[in-house]
Amino acid sequence: MFTGPIIFGFILGFILGSRIRDDRFPPSSYIVLILALILVAWNLGPFPYYTDLPVATGFVAAAVGIMAGRILLGRG
């Protein structure tokens, strides 16, 4: 597993998530968002030379980083 896309995706997502000001979404919408993110990551597939997982790991890490940044450092 290549850690570069995962680390940089998470850091970028965390920075973006920490800049989200207010949350107008109910908690149930996060479940739908997670399912949509998994579907998108699965359809994107891995980078052509990465054969470890069938999903785009950088995209998944960025999505997790956005949620973590929003929860930990969100300004609301």
Side-chain angles (χ1 to χ4, degrees), residues 23-66:
D23 193 6
R24 297 177 192 259
F25 297 112
S28 61
S29 66
Y30 285 106
I31 296 171
V32 175
L33 181 64
I34 290 171
L35 292 175
L37 291 172
I38 291 171
L39 181 66
V40 168
W42 188 273
N43 285 326
L44 278 175
F47 190 71
Y49 302 112
Y50 301 164
T51 57
D52 51 354
L53 295 174
V55 297
T57 54
F59 183 80
V60 172
V64 170
I66 288 173

